[in-house]
Amino acid sequence: MDKNNSADVPVRRIGNSESRFIQKNECSIENFKRYFKQNFKRNRCSKAAALILLLLAVGFCIGISAKASGPGYEYIEQTENRRVIELTEQMAQMYPICPELLQAMIFYESSNQPGARNGSCIGYMQVNPRWHRERMDRLGVSDLYDGYSNILTGTDYLMELIKEYGDVATALMVYHGERNAERSASEGVISDYAGRILNLSSKLERLHGK
């Protein structure tokens, strides 16, 4: 988050979740067992060789499962963090914003790490004190490594951007410091960053029964 803009005003709470994505693994050990029974016995393959091949098949299935849960695979429960949920729900009592949107932002900004730092950007919502000193003073924030203080500052800034641009996707792109964010949004184009956050926010809302 790089820039500081103007005043905060109430906006409507974000909702309307999309259906939760579920990725299925069709690898079946039973299919391999049937294959071995039908083919290896027919070919008089030794029990030892069949057992070895069965173990290799099991390893293959496990490998597929591991790959499915590795980098790039979105297993939604892993994005959640009890402390982040608690803090974002507090923010939702102060600002008209769904906590799931904040949770998605925090996941992509810092992987739910309160001590995350990237250059001058600090904490859960990667707040840059250089641009937000006045905001921090107004909110009584002195330590951006404190989870509550960091999310309060980031939420206040996001709400300001939503008021200014009238659109959540544009606000997210500006929050992220992207050039020509307003023009891109007016042309119906949003960045990968904003798209990922909006998508995850919808999934989290659905997961939470909203």
Side-chain angles (χ1 to χ4, degrees):
M1 169 170 71
D2 292 320
K3 296 235 175 177
N4 190 8
N5 288 303
S6 55
D8 32 37
V9 198
V11 296
R12 67 179 180 85
R13 192 180 295 274
I14 298 167
N16 301 323
S17 303
E18 297 173 355
S19 297
R20 184 181 174 198
F21 172 77
I22 300 175
Q23 180 166 326
K24 294 182 180 178
N25 184 355
E26 296 179 354
C27 180
S28 169
I29 302 301
E30 294 304 318
N31 288 339
F32 281 108
K33 286 181 179 178
R34 285 194 294 271
Y35 178 81
F36 292 140
K37 185 176 180 180
Q38 294 169 4
N39 292 279
F40 286 98
K41 285 187 178 180
R42 183 184 306 162
N43 296 329
R44 296 182 180 179
C45 181
S46 71
K47 290 183 179 181
L51 178 60
I52 290 171
L53 287 169
L54 177 59
L55 291 173
L56 289 173
V58 171
F60 177 74
C61 282
I62 292 172
I64 290 176
S65 297
K67 184 176 181 181
S69 60
Y73 177 77
E74 185 179 53
Y75 180 58
I76 195 165
E77 287 84 352
Q78 290 181 343
T79 70
E80 297 202 289
N81 178 282
R82 182 176 298 178
R83 179 60 174 159
V84 169
I85 291 173
E86 176 187 338
L87 292 172
T88 54
E89 287 179 347
Q90 289 182 42
M91 297 302 138
Q93 299 301 314
M94 301 165 60
Y95 297 88
I97 190 167
C98 275
E100 287 80 9
L101 177 63
L102 300 176
Q103 291 161 24
M105 287 184 69
I106 291 166
F107 177 72
Y108 282 115
E109 285 284 346
S110 64
S111 298
N112 297 324
Q113 300 300 313
R117 180 154 190 163
N118 181 14
S120 299
C121 297
I122 297 170
Y124 280 133
M125 296 189 74
Q126 291 293 280
V127 178
N128 189 333
R130 175 184 176 187
W131 301 111
H132 297 281
R133 182 57 59 189
E134 291 184 8
R135 185 185 311 278
M136 291 168 63
D137 290 343
R138 171 168 58 81
L139 296 171
V141 169
S142 59
D143 180 11
L144 288 174
Y145 287 106
D146 173 72
Y148 177 88
S149 298
N150 190 286
I151 296 176
L152 174 62
T153 307
T155 302
D156 190 83
Y157 179 43
L158 178 65
M159 292 301 301
E160 181 179 293
L161 295 176
I162 293 172
K163 167 60 181 176
E164 179 175 351
Y165 294 100
D167 174 73
V168 177
T170 308
L172 288 170
M173 291 190 286
V174 175
Y175 186 102
H176 195 223
E178 298 173 22
R179 295 181 178 180
N180 303 317
E182 190 173 12
R183 186 179 69 184
S184 296
S186 70
E187 296 171 352
V189 177
I190 65 171
S191 67
D192 289 341
Y193 170 85
R196 286 195 302 268
I197 288 174
L198 292 173
N199 187 42
L200 179 56
S201 174
S202 293
K203 292 175 182 178
L204 288 170
E205 286 182 51
R206 180 60 178 249
L207 182 65
H208 298 165
K210 295 182 179 180

